[in-house]
Amino acid sequence: MNLYTTELRRLGKRRFVRYLTLAGLLVLVAVAVGMFLTNQKIGPAQVAEAERVAERDYQQNVAMTQQFRAECERAKVAGDAPRDRFPEDCSSITPPPRDAFQAEWHLPATFEFREEFAETLITVTAVLALVAFVGGASFVGAEWSTGGMMNLLLWRPQRIRVLLTKLGALLSALFGVTVLAGVLWTAAFWATGSLRGSTAGMTAGAWQSFGLTGLRGLALVLLAGALGFGLASLGRHTALALGGVLGVMVVGQFGLGVVLAMAQVRFIESWLLPTYLLAWMNKKVTLQDWAACQASYTGECEPLTRDITWQSSSVLFAVSLVVVLGGAIWSMRRRDIT
Amino acid sequence: MPDVTREAEMAAVLEIEGLRKTYRSRRRGTRQALDGFDMRVEAGQVHGFLGPNGSGKTTTLRTLLGLIRPNGGRMAILGQEVPAALPSVAGQVGAIVESPQFFPHFSARDTLSLLAGAGGVPQTRVMEVLELVGLRERAKDRVKTYSLGMKQRLAVASALLKNPKLLILDEPANGLDPGGIREMRSLMRDLAASGMTVVVSSHILGEVQLICDSVTIISLGRRVAAGPVAEVLAEHSGNGLRVRLEAVTDLPHAADLLTRAGARVTPHDDHLLVYDVDKPATVTRTLAAANLYVSELATLTVDLESVFLELTATAPVPGQHRQVDQSVVVDGSSGDPTTSNGGWGV
C-alpha cells in the first residue's frame, strides 16, 4: 500500500467527510425527487383541462365586467356614483379579449430536458462544490490540528510530497464522487423528462453542450476542494478555510456590494464572486446598467451592458488557485512543524 | 586509550554537532532554543536525554526528525546526514515527540494501519505492536476513549511499528501507571538487548538512572554533561566525604582544622561534609593529630537527580519561584556554570 492509497483510505475513514458527502448527496436526491414529483407529462387531457380552465376564467371575467358595467350605469342614473369607484363613461368598461386567457398558462409544470437540464447542472455543481470545499478543508485541517500530519511526516519526511499526495487523493475522490453523482443526476432527470416531461430535441450537439457544462461543473468542484484544502493547510486548521470564506462572503461580497452601491459604481455584480461562478457555468453573464440609456435606432432606451465570460472567470479561478495552493506549498516547505 | 580514539571506534547511531536554532519574534525578540548543542549516542545503548522544561529537548528531537529547520550545525542518524537523508533513513527511526497526538475518531488499529500503509510496513505488524504495548483488547476502540497512558502506549506502538534501529521516545512514561512505567522500563531494556538503540527523554530521573547506559543533559540549548551514567555521576560527586566524630561538640574545632588543611567544609548538626581533599586519609590524619577521632567517614554518593539539579541550577529554593527557562548556562571554555534567564529577549 503506498501513500496515495493510504490517503484515500484515510479520507474514506473520516466520519465527517462521509457524513458531509452523504448530506450533499441527500440534498441532490431531494431536489431530483422534488422535480420528479412536481412535474408531469403534457397530453391531450392536460391541454383540454388547461383550455377548459382558461375558458372558464374568461367567462367569469366577462360576467364580472358586465356586472360592474351595470352597477356603474345604475349609479350614474341614480346620481350617487362614487367618483373613485366608476369611470366617467361606463361604456369604457369592457371585457378583456379572449386571447388574454391563454390555455398554456394553466398547463401543469413539465420538464423539458433540453431546455432545463443545463440549469440543474448549476444546482448539482453548487452542492458538490460546497461539499468539496468543506470536505477538503476538514481533511487536511483536522490532520494539522490533531497532530496527524506531524505523525505522518515522521514516517514520510517529504513535506511537499505528503501534502500533494493528500491533495491528489482528495481530488481523485472528488472526481469520482462528482462523476458518479453527475451520471446519476443525468439519469434521474432523463427519467423525469421521459416520464414527467419531454426529452425531445436531444441532438448530439445538445448532449455535447451538456457535457461541456458538466465538465466546467466538475472543474469548479475540484477547484473548490483544492481551495478549501489549500486554505486549511495554510492556516493549519479547518477553521481558517471556513472562517476565510465567511469573511470573504460577508466583508468581501456583501460589504463590498453595499459600498459600491453607495458609490454608485456601474456593474456592481462584476465585483462579486457569484457572477463569475455563473459566467463559468453559463459561459457568459451579461450585466445591465439601467441607469445608463443607450438610444437605439428606434428611439428606445437600451441599458448599457457588460459581458462576463467564462474566460474571465477562468483567469480569476486560476489566480486564486495559484495563490492559495502556492501559499500552502510554500508554507509547508518553510514553516516549522510544532 | 584516549577518549577521542575510543569514541571513533564505537559506532554512533546519532550524532549532533553545534546544533543551533533561533526563534525570532517581532514582539518578544530573539531566543536561542539551541545554542551549539552536541550529542552522541552509540549503537545498542539506552541513552537518556535530560533537561529542564524549555531547555531544548523537544526542539532537538523535532529538528533531528526534520520537523524544525535548524539555523546551523550538523546532524547524522545511522551515519547519514540529516535532514538531507531523512527520507531514506526514516524507515529505520521510530519516534514519538512530546505528547501523543492521534486523530481522536480513529481506532488504534486504524491509526496504526494507516501509518503502516504510509510507511510500507506489513499490516500484520499492527497487531503485533498493539499486543506488545498491551492494547490488543482495545484495538478497535476510538482513540478519544483512551486515557493518557493508553495514548502513550499507542504512541510507543506507532514508534515500534517500523521495527526501527533507532527509537526516540519523548517522555514515554508520561501518564503511565506504576505498572506501565515498569513495563516500559522492561520494554526498553528488551529492545536495547535486541540491538535497538533507544533515546529516551524523561523527567523521571530515577527511571533514567535505572535503565540508561549513558545520558546527555541539556540546559538552555547547550550540553552541560554527557557520557556513561556512572561517569557523569562520578564527575559530579565532588569527592565529598561525610565525617562524624565521637563527640558532636568537637565538630566546630574539626571544621576549623580541616579548613586550615585546605578542605572545603560544610558543617551540619551532627556531621561535616568535607570537599576538596585528595584522599580520605588526609581527614583522619588531620583530626587524629588533634586528638579528634572519627566515628564515621563515608564517601558521598550522588544520584542523577541531584546531578541534574546541580548542573541545570533548577533545584527548588525556599521562598523563590523559579521561572521556566531560568536555568544554567555553561561557559564552554571554563565549564563554570552561571545562572541566567534564557527567556525571550536574550
Side-chain angles (χ1 to χ4, degrees), chain B residues 213-233:
Chain B
D213 305 302
S214 58
V215 291
T216 296
I217 301 179
I218 183 174
S219 181
L220 289 178
R222 292 189 196 176
R223 184 173 73 181
V224 292
V229 174
E231 281 183 22
V232 170
L233 292 175

Side-chain angles (χ1 to χ4, degrees), chain A residues 132-149:
Chain A
F133 185 88
V134 178
S138 165
F139 178 48
V140 73
E143 284 285 296
W144 277 114
S145 55
T146 60
M149 183 67 91

